[in-house]
């Protein structure tokens, strides 16, 4: 019997240790932003016994985006069952899944005949790269981690010719996040890299992906193709910005100095420089293909992996944050980063370097990655530091201004919130004026109402009652059917000593919504006061 080599255990153990070390300082962070929406405010989170219901209906995200991610919903319920409303267990689970993904990448690259050392370095940098903090340190980032887990399991099973297992893992990944359709082009890239052209197999996998997309459409009632083609002019602008996005993503992988939440790209900005860079890059790739034939397979695998994994989120589907800003978050790179690392690491190990020089450079890179990841993790410790950093790089992002304002308000700092409420309202008002269709105009008017409501609450907290009253009344001009506005107006009138107008406002709230319990209770209390 042959004894297993030391590296058989050393490499996986080193990956486990470094992955845990990179994100250890995020374990004690609280629920932040989307974590609150998907977990603490999830009305179904405790319904583990009725897990099957998650497969029957779409899930709403904060009332804006509708998803069909039943596996993810069941996962949230399981996590809540074991960890309760305590974030530490959720963070540990995220880190654990991330480490498993690193091990699966190591296994997959070994199956593709990369050297053991190169495969380990790629998996290692994948685990500790600061770009991964948005997916790992944010509890809601489990959607990216779990989707990637399913895709990587499916790819490993596919290479082992366990096709049924591969299909089931692919389905699990897709029902966790739609981005999992990357599995199909990844298979094509990997087969081409191995010298296999299985057109029939590719067609069947593509057919299964289409079936899953159709299922999503039936459940959610939406059509992805219709959404893509809704505005041809906007589609053109999104497609024209693709080279700029690719350039930005490549720069983030190599030089991640400005990582932040809610990263966006303005599709109205010029793209000529990016297109020029793309043409030069293609010429360079063509030159390398002809000058160094031995590098062709590496380029096919690396660039193919990067583009295949990025394609589902590369501006084709409308992912609009607000007005001309499209969503280009860092977690989109969670798996695509592997393709660029394949090119960089294999090239690095092909250079004629002395062993100690190579080891020194590698140690330096790993140390820098670990340090930057620890630093980046700190921005997920609370919403104020998270949104302050976001606005440092996205100052004209209206929703970001609102999020920071609300974070200041909920942390007892209403004076600091004022300027951000004002800026958020200015941005959204400007967008509403620019809106080219009624749907978009209603969307931004809804944001205006939300800002005015929260802004009035903030001014109430500072005792600025006349200003708060003005904001609430302005919000009723946008939506006269919101009973909570009249209820809050009554609250302001009471603090201003105007009981009669407070009474009339509560009556108006109940006229708008007769079942509004809080307004009923407030009216009964006010009646008691008036009788005295």
């Amino acid at each position: 019997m042959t004894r297993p080599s030391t590296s058989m255990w050393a490499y996986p153990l080193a990956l486990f240790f470094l992955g845990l070390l990179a994100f250890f300082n995020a374990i004690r962070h609280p629920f932040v932003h989307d974590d609150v929406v998907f977990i603490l405010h999830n009305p179904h989170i405790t319904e583990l016994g009725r897990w099957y219901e998650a497969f029957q209906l779409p899930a709403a995200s904060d009332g804006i985006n509708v998803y069909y991610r039943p596996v993810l919903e069941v996962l949230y319920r399981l996590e809540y069952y074991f960890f309760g409303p305590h974030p530490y267990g959720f963070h540990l689970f995220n880190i654990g899944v991330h480490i498993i993904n690193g091990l699966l990448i190591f296994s997959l690259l070994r199956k593709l005949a990369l050297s053991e050392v190169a495969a380990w370095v790629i998996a290692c940098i994948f685990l500790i790269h600061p770009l991964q903090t948005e997916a790992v340190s944010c509890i809601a980032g489990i959607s990216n981690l779990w989707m990637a887990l399913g895709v990587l399991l499916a790819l490993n099973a596919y290479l082992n010719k366990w096709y049924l297992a591969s299909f089931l893992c692919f389905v699990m990944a897709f029902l966790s996040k739609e981005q999992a359709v990357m599995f199909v082009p990844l298979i094509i890239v990997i087969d081409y890299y191995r010298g296999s052209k299985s057109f029939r197999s590719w067609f069947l996998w593509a057919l299964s992906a289409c079936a899953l997309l159709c299922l999503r459409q039936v459940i959610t009632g939406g059509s992805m193709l219709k959404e893509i083609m809704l505005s041809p002019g906007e589609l053109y602008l999104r497609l024209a910005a693709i080279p700029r996005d690719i350039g930005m993503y490549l720069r983030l992988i190599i030089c991640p100095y400005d990582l932040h939440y809610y990263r966006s790209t303005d599709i109205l900005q010029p793209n000529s420089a990016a297109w020029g860079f793309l043409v030069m890059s293609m010429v360079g790739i063509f030159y390398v293909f002809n000058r160094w034939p031995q590098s062709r397979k590496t380029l096919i695998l690396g660039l193919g992996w990067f583009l295949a994994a990025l394609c589902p989120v590369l501006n084709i589907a409308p992912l609009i944050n607000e007005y001309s800003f499209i969503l280009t978050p860092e977690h989109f790179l969670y798996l695509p980063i592997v393709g660029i690392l394949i090119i960089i690491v294999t090239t690095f190990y092909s250079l004629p370097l002395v062993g100690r020089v190579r080891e020194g450079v590698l140690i330096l890179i790993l140390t820098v990655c670990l340090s930057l990841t620890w630093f980046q993790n700190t921005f997920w410790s609370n919403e104020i530091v998270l949104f302050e950093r976001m606005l440092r790089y996205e100052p004209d992002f209206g929703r970001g201004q609102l999020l920071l304002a609300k974070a200041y308000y909920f942390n007892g700092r209403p004076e600091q919130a004022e300027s951000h409420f004002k800026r958020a309202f200015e941005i959204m008002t400007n967008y509403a004026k620019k809106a080219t269709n009624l749907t978009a105009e209603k969307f931004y008017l809804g944001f205006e109402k939300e800002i005015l409501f929260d802004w009035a609450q903030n001014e109430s907290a500072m005792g600025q009652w006349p200003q708060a009253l003005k904001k609430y009344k302005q919000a009723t001009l946008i939506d006269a059917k919101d009973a909570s506005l009249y209820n809050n107006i009554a609250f302001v009138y009471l603090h201003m000593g105007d009981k009669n107008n407070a009474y009339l406002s509560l009556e108006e709230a109940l006229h708008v919504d007769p079942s509004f319990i809080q307004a009923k209770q407030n009216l009964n209390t006010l009646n008691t006061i008036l009788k005295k």
Side-chain angles (χ1 to χ4, degrees):
M1 180 182 293
T2 59
R3 295 180 59 186
S5 65
T6 305
S7 63
M8 177 180 175
W9 299 104
Y11 285 128
L13 286 174
L15 290 175
F16 174 83
F17 172 76
L18 288 171
L20 183 61
L21 179 63
F23 293 95
F24 189 77
N25 65 328
I27 292 174
R28 297 194 62 81
H29 289 171
F31 293 107
V32 175
H33 192 44
D34 277 351
D35 306 342
V36 177
V37 175
F38 290 110
I39 298 167
L40 293 185
H41 292 173
N42 185 342
H44 308 293
I45 198 75
T46 60
E47 299 175 358
L48 183 59
R50 297 194 296 178
W51 60 269
Y52 53 87
E53 291 182 353
F55 290 83
Q56 300 171 355
L57 297 171
S61 167
D62 204 22
I64 300 173
N65 299 314
V66 179
Y67 301 120
Y68 182 60
R69 300 174 179 176
V71 170
L72 183 63
E73 178 66 23
V74 173
L75 181 63
Y76 279 138
R77 297 184 193 187
L78 284 169
E79 287 188 276
Y80 194 85
Y81 176 80
F82 287 106
F83 308 134
H86 309 295
Y88 319 125
F90 289 87
H91 280 300
L92 275 172
F93 187 78
N94 273 26
I95 296 169
V97 175
H98 181 52
I99 291 172
I100 292 172
N101 287 340
L103 294 170
L104 287 171
I105 286 171
F106 176 66
S107 171
L108 182 66
L109 295 178
R110 291 294 293 129
K111 288 184 175 72
L112 294 175
L114 269 69
S115 71
E116 197 170 39
V117 174
W120 181 84
V121 172
I122 292 167
C124 185
I125 297 177
F126 164 83
L127 281 175
I128 67 174
H129 197 287
L131 192 63
Q132 308 291 41
T133 54
E134 188 170 285
V136 184
S137 298
C138 172
I139 290 173
I142 189 63
S143 61
N144 304 287
L145 305 175
W146 198 257
M147 177 274 296
L149 176 68
V151 169
L152 292 170
L153 284 171
L155 289 173
N156 274 278
Y158 179 79
L159 291 179
N160 287 335
K161 297 184 179 180
W162 302 338
Y163 299 123
L164 178 59
S166 182
F167 173 74
L168 292 176
C169 290
F170 170 46
V171 172
M172 180 197 80
F174 182 87
L175 296 182
S176 300
K177 193 170 186 178
E178 304 80 1
Q179 194 178 345
V181 294
M182 69 171 70
F183 173 72
V184 178
L186 279 174
I187 280 181
I188 297 173
V189 169
I190 287 173
D191 279 349
Y192 197 83
Y193 168 79
R194 297 189 302 163
S196 172
K197 296 181 180 179
S198 308
F199 294 104
R200 181 173 176 273
S201 173
W202 299 345
F203 173 76
L204 291 174
W205 283 111
L207 196 62
S208 66
C210 289
L212 289 170
L213 287 170
C214 289
L215 172 66
R216 177 187 180 277
Q217 178 175 327
V218 170
I219 297 294
T220 62
S223 171
M224 188 170 292
L225 182 61
K226 183 180 179 180
E227 291 171 2
I228 291 171
M229 300 305 298
L230 186 63
S231 176
E234 184 187 289
L235 174 61
Y236 166 78
L237 290 172
R238 293 201 308 269
L239 295 178
I242 284 178
R244 185 151 48 98
D245 288 342
I246 291 176
M248 177 195 67
Y249 284 139
L250 290 172
R251 199 267 302 161
L252 286 176
I253 294 172
I254 298 168
C255 186
Y257 66 86
D258 60 341
L259 300 179
H260 63 275
Y261 194 36
Y262 266 119
R263 180 178 291 275
S264 304
T265 296
D266 186 354
I267 56 176
L268 294 181
Q269 294 299 313
N271 300 300
S272 53
W275 277 97
F277 173 77
L278 177 64
V279 171
M280 291 175 60
S281 300
M282 292 177 67
V283 170
I285 292 169
F286 181 77
Y287 175 77
V288 172
F289 258 64
N290 287 277
R291 180 68 176 80
W292 293 286
Q294 68 274 15
S295 66
R296 290 178 185 173
K297 290 190 67 176
T298 300
L299 282 173
I300 289 172
L301 180 61
L303 285 177
W305 180 296
F306 176 71
L307 294 174
L310 196 58
C311 184
V313 290
L314 204 54
N315 299 12
I316 299 171
L319 298 168
I320 305 297
N321 260 341
E322 57 189 40
Y323 198 59
S324 61
F325 291 94
I326 61 170
L327 185 65
T328 50
E330 289 144 16
H331 66 250
F332 280 176
L333 287 174
Y334 183 74
L335 274 183
I337 191 177
V338 175
I340 302 304
L341 293 178
I342 288 171
I343 296 173
I344 293 174
V345 172
T346 52
T347 301
F348 174 72
Y349 275 96
S350 68
L351 297 175
L353 298 175
V354 178
R356 289 185 178 179
V357 174
R358 197 189 309 276
E359 290 173 4
V361 172
L362 180 60
I363 290 171
L364 177 63
I365 291 172
L366 297 183
T367 302
V368 170
C369 282
L370 277 172
S371 301
L372 290 175
T373 299
W374 266 64
F375 171 72
Q376 196 63 30
N377 287 339
T378 61
F379 293 105
W380 291 91
S381 60
N382 65 73
E383 291 188 346
I384 289 178
V385 296
L386 180 66
F387 299 141
E388 282 180 339
R389 182 169 177 83
M390 173 183 63
L391 288 181
R392 178 182 173 185
Y393 298 102
E394 307 274 354
D396 296 324
F397 182 36
R399 190 182 302 178
Q401 294 284 353
L402 176 60
L403 289 171
L404 181 57
K406 292 170 73 172
Y408 280 137
Y409 168 73
F410 285 116
N411 283 273
R413 295 158 66 176
E415 293 81 8
Q416 289 176 275
E418 275 292 291
S419 62
H420 296 286
F421 277 122
K422 181 180 179 180
R423 181 61 183 140
F425 187 72
E426 290 173 351
I427 292 171
M428 290 302 177
T429 302
N430 190 38
Y431 289 159
K433 292 176 181 177
K434 292 180 179 179
T436 56
N437 60 71
L438 186 60
T439 301
E441 185 181 2
K442 286 183 177 179
F443 177 79
Y444 292 118
L445 285 173
F447 257 122
E448 284 185 39
K449 187 192 85 167
E450 179 186 350
I451 294 167
L452 288 168
F453 185 91
D454 294 329
W455 195 356
Q457 285 188 314
N458 189 72
E459 291 182 330
S460 297
M462 295 190 293
Q464 297 177 355
W465 304 111
Q467 294 91 327
L469 181 61
K470 181 180 178 181
K471 302 295 188 308
Y472 281 130
K473 287 190 173 183
Q474 193 174 349
T476 62
L477 297 177
I478 298 174
D479 184 4
K481 299 297 183 181
D482 188 340
S484 61
L485 287 172
Y486 299 104
N487 183 71
N488 284 24
I489 287 173
F491 175 79
V492 173
Y493 273 129
L494 278 175
H495 279 83
M496 295 174 67
D498 190 344
K499 295 177 183 177
N500 290 330
N501 273 320
Y503 188 88
L504 292 174
S505 297
L506 288 171
E507 282 193 325
E508 183 63 27
L510 290 172
H511 174 73
V512 171
D513 183 4
S515 63
F516 193 8
I517 295 175
Q518 187 178 3
K520 287 181 180 179
Q521 293 173 342
N522 290 339
L523 188 60
N524 290 334
T525 302
L526 184 57
N527 273 322
T528 303
I529 294 173
L530 291 174
K531 287 178 181 179
K532 292 180 179 180

